[in-house]
Amino acid sequence: MKIDLTDTTAGEINKALVQGRRAIGTPAVGMVLTLVIVTDEENAYDALKAANDASREHPSRTLVVIKRISRTPRDRTSSRLDAEVRVGAEAGTGETVILRLYGEVSQHADSVVLPLLLPDAPVVVWWPVNAPLDPAKDPLGALAQRRVTDTYTAEEPVRELTARADAYTPGDTDLSWTRITPWRSMLAAALDQVDCRVQAVEVEGEAFNPSCELLAMWLADRLDVPVRRSPSAGPGLTGVRMDTTCGPITLDRADGSLATLSIKGQPARAVALKRRDTAELIAEELRRLDPDDTYASALRYGVDRLNTVPEQEASASTPDSASASPDGAQPAAAEAAKAPAKKATSSRAAKKAPSRKASAK
């Protein structure tokens, strides 16, 4: 059921929601949260479709905020709010309100959204594109317990990661981080199967892909070893190689769906590691509304620390271990010499660290 409202108010929208629920025979409100989507007209359809699919797992009231550009000075001084109310089959398992803001009212979107939030329910704000540099200080972001962005849609994703780290506030998260959850789970499970110490890591994937950078930063932060980023043709992440004291562990995914896990001394195994769509990513993020400390720690590690070796660590390498291999790659012994001294623990402790500290959410 759809109800169109032109030049309306938040009070009229609330009345339309009640009328719509009564008309379809469901007067009770059975939703668990309010999802606010801040987007433009071009991306509104895809974002709303993903939210409707995710609502099958998380029934919610979805508010889509679209700020329309005023092209003339007269339009910029006027204000208007149009709304489209959807209930029933048109809105998945919840309710949907599409808000189009014109003129000065577009500068006060929080005042429009606030009366439409579900009482005593969590609020999640999602920016599919054009997210603010500091989501927590955005007027809409300030209303939310959870703020979801996607650096993959930014013009300069790697630089955007640095800005996200500088402005991080508990409750911030990113779909580029959500995309690597299966990778983190698989790598942590692989390290649980061996009694070895990780010496160096290489992450291979598309250049300027923030998910690749986040995975590399997560590994560097949790394992405290050198991590090198290598570009590939994609799609997305294509492989991770961990050099350990027991031999290499590789997770390779060349086609974007099926990966091969190889551990020295064990047969290679095929594992499902498909690229997930936006609805699956949003559904995963809505499962937890508490701050993601693992994401915060990885984000703050910093992109600029990848592929670099501190001078004092490089000088500590012995002449034999610092020699290059015939193919030009640095041998694992040299990488191990660069590892911080605090990692010179027993192999059992080094093995258990990823499964305890770096487990996927």
Side-chain angles (χ1 to χ4, degrees):
M1 179 178 181
K2 292 183 181 181
I3 303 174
D4 290 323
L5 301 173
T6 303
D7 197 6
T8 187
T9 63
E12 294 298 324
I13 294 171
N14 272 317
K15 290 180 182 178
L17 286 169
V18 174
Q19 293 172 357
R21 288 198 300 269
R22 289 175 177 172
I24 63 175
T26 56
V29 178
M31 290 156 286
V32 298
L33 59 89
T34 303
L35 175 62
V36 181
I37 304 174
V38 186
T39 185
D40 53 23
E41 201 73 61
E42 179 182 359
N43 296 280
Y45 175 82
D46 291 336
L48 185 55
K49 184 178 185 302
N52 285 343
D53 291 342
S55 71
R56 295 186 176 92
E57 184 176 339
H58 309 279
S60 59
R61 173 176 289 179
T62 302
L63 307 177
V64 184
V65 178
I66 303 174
K67 299 179 182 180
R68 299 299 297 267
I69 299 176
S70 300
R71 301 187 180 279
T72 65
R74 181 178 180 181
D75 290 339
R76 285 192 288 270
T77 57
S78 62
S79 297
R80 193 176 92 231
L81 170 64
D82 293 346
E84 181 181 327
V85 178
R86 300 181 183 181
V87 293
E90 299 285 348
T93 59
E95 299 172 342
T96 297
V97 180
I98 302 176
L99 304 167
R100 291 182 172 87
L101 285 63
Y102 299 81
E104 292 183 356
V105 72
S106 63
Q107 306 301 319
H108 306 281
D110 54 318
S111 299
V112 177
V113 168
L114 187 60
L116 301 176
L117 302 178
L118 290 173
D120 302 322
V123 179
V124 178
V125 178
W126 171 32
W127 291 268
V129 294
N130 302 325
L133 291 179
D134 191 345
K137 290 185 178 179
D138 182 85
L140 286 172
L143 301 175
Q145 287 77 37
R146 193 80 160 159
R147 295 165 293 276
V148 184
T149 58
D150 191 354
T151 51
Y152 187 79
T153 62
E155 291 186 7
E156 298 183 46
V158 176
R159 181 177 295 181
E160 194 85 358
L161 285 176
T162 303
R164 291 278 179 268
D166 294 339
Y168 176 81
T169 301
D172 293 353
T173 191
D174 197 288
L175 294 187
S176 295
W177 171 255
T178 317
R179 290 184 180 96
I180 62 174
T181 299
W183 284 83
R184 293 187 291 122
S185 300
M186 196 63 61
L187 292 171
L191 288 173
D192 276 341
Q193 301 176 37
V194 297
D195 190 6
C196 307
R197 182 164 65 90
V198 179
Q199 298 172 317
V201 180
E202 180 179 4
V203 176
E204 185 182 75
E206 291 175 330
F208 309 111
N209 187 311
S211 294
C212 302
E213 309 295 342
L214 282 168
L215 182 63
M217 290 190 289
W218 173 73
L219 288 166
D221 179 54
R222 292 307 181 189
L223 298 176
D224 205 2
V225 298
V227 177
R228 183 175 64 180
R229 265 285 283 126
S230 300
S232 72
L237 270 162
T238 53
V240 175
R241 175 189 172 91
M242 296 185 288
D243 293 326
T244 75
T245 54
C246 301
I249 298 175
T250 61
L251 183 60
D252 182 70
R253 185 189 69 177
D255 61 356
S257 60
L258 189 65
T260 302
L261 176 63
S262 302
I263 302 176
K264 188 175 181 179
Q266 300 182 20
R269 283 163 284 180
V271 294
L273 208 60
K274 72 180 184 70
R275 291 165 61 83
R276 298 181 294 169
D277 60 24
T278 306
E280 294 177 271
L281 301 176
I282 285 295
E284 178 182 327
E285 283 301 331
L286 295 181
R287 289 180 200 133
R288 59 174 301 171
L289 299 176
D290 57 314
D292 191 341
D293 295 331
T294 305
Y295 165 70
S297 182
L299 186 66
R300 287 169 172 160
Y301 181 86
V303 179
D304 55 341
R305 294 177 62 185
L306 300 175
N307 303 322
T308 59
V309 181
E311 292 181 3
Q312 60 271 24
E313 293 179 7
S315 62
S317 302
T318 63
D320 291 337
S321 65
S323 60
S325 59
D327 60 358
Q330 201 163 24
E335 298 289 358
K338 298 173 189 174
K342 68 178 180 179
K343 291 305 293 180
T345 57
S346 66
S347 60
R348 172 65 63 180
K351 168 204 161 193
K352 290 299 181 182
S355 61
R356 182 176 66 255
K357 297 173 62 182
S359 59
K361 56 188 178 178

